[in-house]
Amino acid sequence: MITDSLKMKLISIVGQENYEDSPASKLVYSFDATPNYQAMPDAILSPRNKNEVADIVKLCNEHTIPIVPRGSGTNLSAGTTPLEGGIVLLFKHLDQILEIDQENLTITVQPGVNTLEMIQTVEEIGLFYPPDPSSMKISQIGGNISENSGGLRGLKYGVTRDYVLGLEMVLPNGEIIKTGGKLAKDVAGYDLTRLFVGSEGTLGIVTEAILKLIPKPESKKTMLALYDSMEAAAQTVSTIIANRVIPATLEFLDQPTLKVVEDFSKIGLPTDVEAVLLIEQDGPVQSVQADMEKMTAICVQSGALKVNVAKSEWEAEQLSTARRSALSALARLKPTTILEDATVPRSEIANMVRAINEIALKYQVEICTFGHAGDGNLHPTCMTDSRNKDEMHRVEQALEEIFQTAVSLGGTITGEHGVGAMKAPYLHLKLGEEGIEAMQALKHAFDPNNIMNPSKIFAKSSRKRIVVNQS
Amino acid sequence: MITDSLKMKLISIVGQENYEDSPASKLVYSFDATPNYQAMPDAILSPRNKNEVADIVKLCNEHTIPIVPRGSGTNLSAGTTPLEGGIVLLFKHLDQILEIDQENLTITVQPGVNTLEMIQTVEEIGLFYPPDPSSMKISQIGGNISENSGGLRGLKYGVTRDYVLGLEMVLPNGEIIKTGGKLAKDVAGYDLTRLFVGSEGTLGIVTEAILKLIPKPESKKTMLALYDSMEAAAQTVSTIIANRVIPATLEFLDQPTLKVVEDFSKIGLPTDVEAVLLIEQDGPVQSVQADMEKMTAICVQSGALKVNVAKSEWEAEQLSTARRSALSALARLKPTTILEDATVPRSEIANMVRAINEIALKYQVEICTFGHAGDGNLHPTCMTDSRNKDEMHRVEQALEEIFQTAVSLGGTITGEHGVGAMKAPYLHLKLGEEGIEAMQALKHAFDPNNIMNPSKIFAKSSRKRIVVNQS
């Protein structure tokens, strides 16, 4: 609880205008993009620099006040919900691109920088920042780092972790440390940089980041392969890779998703097929051309009904935008949309898609599946209504079985959304109790008072629940 | 100390033939490739499987016996010296490639697999494992993982960390955990996989690893650019990158190194120039051709005297082999060779090379410089004689000033060799005391009894020393 005297101290750090605790403000920051998790913070603070962040953390550590660092709150694991109250920390004053270094191919940013704006800024000068989470239009780079965000280009280019070279972090004890640097190689001690990436705000707060850039690929081509069998589509994915072609994007959409996306985007997507693969390749013109031909042949051999290569950049962009709109499109169908990200080795995509459909049938719930097939990173998405207790119970059972299946196929419970509060009850499926214990020891070493984003990653008492807190 | 009763228990785990404690055996494992660090182990154990490893660790944890996991001992930071006695653990029975998965592009290996053999095995089927430490002919993949080994292809392809997808580890408490998997994306909790990579055997023991493979580039070209000015050579490096070309290899050799390497390899390297850049590009034929032309033009514009493109694969291989022989060649000059790996942002290469030469002059020591210029990862190499106390004192001062300079240029004290015992006294230069404290807390969380490779990474008492233990 924030006492009056503590409140005065916090205001003296950030200034009156950067301390909010009106009921309206608290309501706004009581939830994130994840359905059915809500809890009121005690206050929302917007520090103006890293020293203010450090001062806030020191005070909170002394008074055991939870801190939830929050970018745009677009995460899908309830990662930024203030489930134990305390302070939600915003980065609206830390929103500057500090430097683009063209000799070292790095960009130095504050955490509040918008992802898409950053991507567009570097593309204007011929550089490229590949991680492209579907939320990039509104997400902040600090959030991407804390969540180790993925995206559509993960197959060829990797995820956020692969582009973070250095961090400035405020640790839970209020100390500011710098890790890494503009360095291709650095083995001075443990790799704290990559440890902090994806630590979901539980180990500290990012106040600055040095990101790696690469040259922008000189060309890009997009194609759509249509299938009357999900298995054939799924099989194509690993056949392409086994044939030594690594496309930039290799997305899968099933028929229900296609219908909804077409209804939303109206760009003429086929809705009478079982599944499509949306494939993009980038690179030097001739290599892209050669890869597109190779992949077209593989798609046809693997049973594609038809392969359409986009005739223009505009058409390609339409396809890609339609794919990115899948969540928004699906969210229109029912009051509650639960988008999951169980992930498997790509050779198991066909088995996983089949299992998801069987599970949906078994529990009588509606699940559409799309996602980053090349990564084995599927998004089975459940359209439901959180007010329907009976159905929610079945949804809960279905999702648990999906997680179990993913793990039994050599996969994981979350490919890119993070554990947050939502997956915490399932973490033992992937890690075992020994793995969780090791991670808890690590958390305790950094944050003995458990002030940094508590209730995330590690489940408290009950397991097996989806709804922690009804809104 | 290993008591008789503990020895009996250890023998009952690994079998008599896998427990060695003869004076000869102990001498063999009392040092590694790093000059001037030596200490006797109490015993050398060769477990036959992960359960034996776990049983050994449990016993050692109970009796507080140090364990030093050792691959081929090729590291250059005294990382595998048993400075506090205890057990040296060998992996000669864990030397199998367990699986090559062509659909998921992964290879699953035991830690004792030889790096080059693994690389050749995957290349035979058109796949590629890029990390290529200069020691790869004799190094083991477990050692590469523990050291996060780099190599010549780091610039374009990254380092060992970027290819480790999953690990099976024995923790210091003897528990066996599995991290990651054949997964392009996995955010189920903290990234223990990357934390263990480069942790120098201080957090646990790798018993199995899943590594990422990529398609083998279809072609490769090699060229040599000759300079009469080191600055011009160094400047070329960042100009190439700033022009959006990322070659596979971009190596720098100064004149003293060239002379020694030519004397060793006798392939007709130029020895009358100040410096050369050895540049390789790989990929689709046409892209490689285009990049080679671009880079040739940049080299010439930047002041290269001459640019020679290798006319055959044989000639290219000769150049590349000669470069890899640099350490062996330099080691012939004087009784003691200290090869360092201070690393800077690549834009600072010219400043760093200049500083190294000034420092060598100031302290009157002989330093040759070569290394992975594209990564900013230089290898200033000091030829000296550890019996000459006065010179060793000056070497010590020179190296410390080199580390300080690297850090002041935004660099690090070690790019790819690890901290080990050798760099431990300098770690605070890069991390500050807060950074070291955070890492120590982490170490303590995993290994409260400090049994795993003690005296490494964290300096004990005295700082600023090179010679811990005279041989």
Side-chain angles (χ1 to χ4, degrees), chain A residues 102-104 125 151 180 185-187 190 194 202 238 244 286 346-347 372 375 377 412 414 416 430, chain B residues 102-104 125 151 161 180 185-187 190 202 238 244 286 346-347 372 375 377 412 414 416 430:
Chain A
Q102 299 205 44
E103 280 191 296
N104 291 304
I125 53 168
K185 289 174 174 167
D186 178 20
V187 289
Y190 302 136
R194 276 83 190 180
T202 66
S238 39
R244 316 281 187 255
Q286 283 150 326
R346 74 174 71 88
S347 60
H372 319 305
D375 302 332
N377 180 199
T412 184
T414 174
E416 57 180 10
K430 173 69 174 76
Chain B
Q102 298 206 45
E103 278 190 296
N104 292 304
I125 52 168
R161 179 191 60 229
K185 287 173 175 172
D186 178 19
V187 289
Y190 302 135
T202 65
S238 40
R244 314 282 186 256
Q286 284 150 327
R346 74 175 71 89
S347 60
H372 319 304
D375 302 333
N377 181 197
T412 183
T414 174
E416 58 182 8
K430 172 70 174 73

Side-chain angles (χ1 to χ4, degrees), chain A residues 40-55:
Chain A
M40 288 295 165
D42 295 307
I44 301 96
L45 270 70
S46 303
R48 292 163 294 193
N49 55 57
K50 68 180 171 189
N51 292 323
E52 290 185 4
V53 174
D55 289 343

Side-chain angles (χ1 to χ4, degrees), chain A residues 138-258:
Chain A
I138 40 171
S139 72
Q140 294 177 10
I141 198 71
N144 292 174
I145 292 169
S146 290
E147 299 289 321
N148 188 14
S149 300
L152 279 69
R153 299 191 282 236
L155 170 59
K156 182 170 179 178
Y157 291 107
V159 293
T160 301
R161 179 191 61 230
D162 302 308
Y163 294 87
V164 182
L165 295 177
L167 290 173
E168 180 185 79
M169 294 281 301
V170 175
L171 297 179
N173 61 10
E175 275 172 358
I176 301 172
I177 65 167
K178 281 186 183 254
T179 71
K182 294 180 181 175
L183 299 166
K185 289 174 174 167
D186 178 20
V187 289
Y190 302 136
D191 191 346
L192 296 186
T193 308
R194 276 83 190 180
L195 176 63
F196 290 143
V197 175
S199 64
E200 305 188 13
T202 66
L203 299 181
I205 298 164
V206 178
T207 51
E208 201 174 300
I210 301 172
L211 307 175
K212 174 181 165 174
L213 303 173
I214 58 174
K216 194 179 169 208
E218 69 186 54
S219 74
K220 190 167 89 172
K221 288 241 178 216
T222 302
M223 68 189 224
L224 206 62
L226 319 185
Y227 292 86
D228 61 3
S229 136
M230 285 210 299
E231 272 79 9
Q235 188 51 50
T236 303
V237 173
S238 39
T239 308
I240 287 175
I241 311 289
N243 275 278
R244 316 281 187 255
V245 181
I246 312 283
T249 293
L250 184 35
E251 298 285 310
F252 171 91
L253 291 90
D254 71 1
Q255 189 180 42
T257 309
L258 276 172

